[in-house]
């Protein structure tokens, strides 16, 4: 009986110690999307990337192998250059800049932008695609909404 009483007192003391910790509500937070700027380096003849929305020639860029390890669904990718690029995630935003022909394969995209007279071929389901100016885009998968903006003819939007 004394052992049972002692065990009950220890259990009650432990419960009072853990009660403040267990009573705190847990809050879940979605991680914010990371922006990757991917550029084709003609000197190295390879795709390189930086984290951020602009390219800095002075910054240390890395191989795509490392981006593919870190990238997750919902991230943002800006592509600047010509070549074949495969990204095996869902992107919240894909922007193509300055490419003579950027071939990009991706699972799916929420928002796609073609800018600066770029030429691209995109494989992956797209929710909204925005094509500006003299850009040329080949969509190889479904596009829910396609918006084409011609700056020379503002009435055509």
């Amino acid at each position: 009986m004394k052992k049972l009483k002692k065990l009950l007192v220890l259990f009650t003391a432990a419960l009072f110690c853990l009660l403040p910790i267990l009573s705190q509500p847990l809050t879940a937070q979605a991680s914010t999307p990371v922006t990757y700027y991917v550029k084709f380096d003609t000197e190295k003849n390879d795709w390189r990337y930086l984290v951020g929305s602009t390219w800095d020639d002075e910054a240390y860029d890395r191989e795509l192998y490392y981006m593919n390890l870190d990238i997750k669904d919902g991230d943002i990718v800006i592509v600047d250059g010509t070549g074949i690029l495969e990204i095996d995630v869902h992107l919240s935003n894909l922007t193509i800049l300055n490419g003579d022909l950027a071939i990009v394969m991706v699972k799916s995209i929420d928002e796609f932008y073609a800018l600066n007279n770029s030429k691209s071929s995109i494989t992956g389901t797209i929710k909204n695609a925005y094509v500006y100016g003299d850009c040329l885009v080949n969509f190889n998968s479904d596009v829910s909404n396609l918006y084409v903006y011609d700056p020379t003819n503002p009435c055509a939007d």
Side-chain angles (χ1 to χ4, degrees), residues 21-29:
I21 296 169
L22 296 176
S23 66
Q24 295 293 326
L26 296 176
T27 56
Q29 284 185 310

Side-chain angles (χ1 to χ4, degrees), residues 3-156:
K3 283 188 177 187
L4 182 62
K5 204 177 212 184
K6 194 176 203 178
L7 187 62
L8 187 60
V9 168
L10 286 173
F11 179 73
T12 306
L15 183 64
F16 280 119
C17 289
L18 291 175
L19 193 61
I21 296 169
L22 296 176
S23 66
Q24 295 293 326
L26 296 176
T27 56
Q29 284 185 310
S31 61
T32 58
V34 177
T35 301
Y36 296 95
Y37 196 110
V38 180
K39 187 172 184 174
F40 192 80
D41 189 339
T42 54
E43 292 176 7
K44 296 175 183 169
N45 199 28
D46 195 17
W47 288 101
R48 309 293 287 184
Y49 85 95
L50 290 173
V51 174
S53 59
T54 59
W55 188 264
D56 182 3
D57 288 326
E58 302 300 318
Y60 178 71
D61 55 61
R62 301 204 62 190
E63 299 88 3
L64 279 187
Y65 168 80
Y66 297 104
M67 182 187 85
N68 288 326
L69 291 176
D70 295 338
I71 197 166
K72 63 190 176 316
D73 287 340
D75 283 346
I76 299 167
V77 174
I78 301 168
V79 177
D80 185 355
T82 298
I84 299 171
L85 183 61
E86 189 170 348
I87 305 168
D88 197 30
V89 295
H90 163 80
L91 297 176
S92 63
N93 183 317
L94 174 65
T95 301
I96 305 292
L97 298 172
N98 309 322
D100 287 333
L101 182 56
I103 300 169
V104 181
M105 293 161 277
V106 64
K107 279 186 180 177
S108 59
I109 306 164
D110 287 335
E111 306 289 326
F112 170 79
Y113 296 91
L115 306 172
N116 298 343
N117 300 325
S118 61
K119 295 171 185 66
S120 58
S121 177
I122 309 299
T123 301
T125 305
I126 300 173
K127 188 183 290 183
N128 296 307
Y130 304 90
V131 180
Y132 291 88
D134 290 332
C135 294
L136 179 63
V137 183
N138 178 46
F139 296 108
N140 297 317
S141 302
D142 293 338
V143 177
S144 296
N145 300 301
L146 175 62
Y147 304 96
V148 179
Y149 297 98
D150 181 6
T152 60
N153 186 3
C155 296

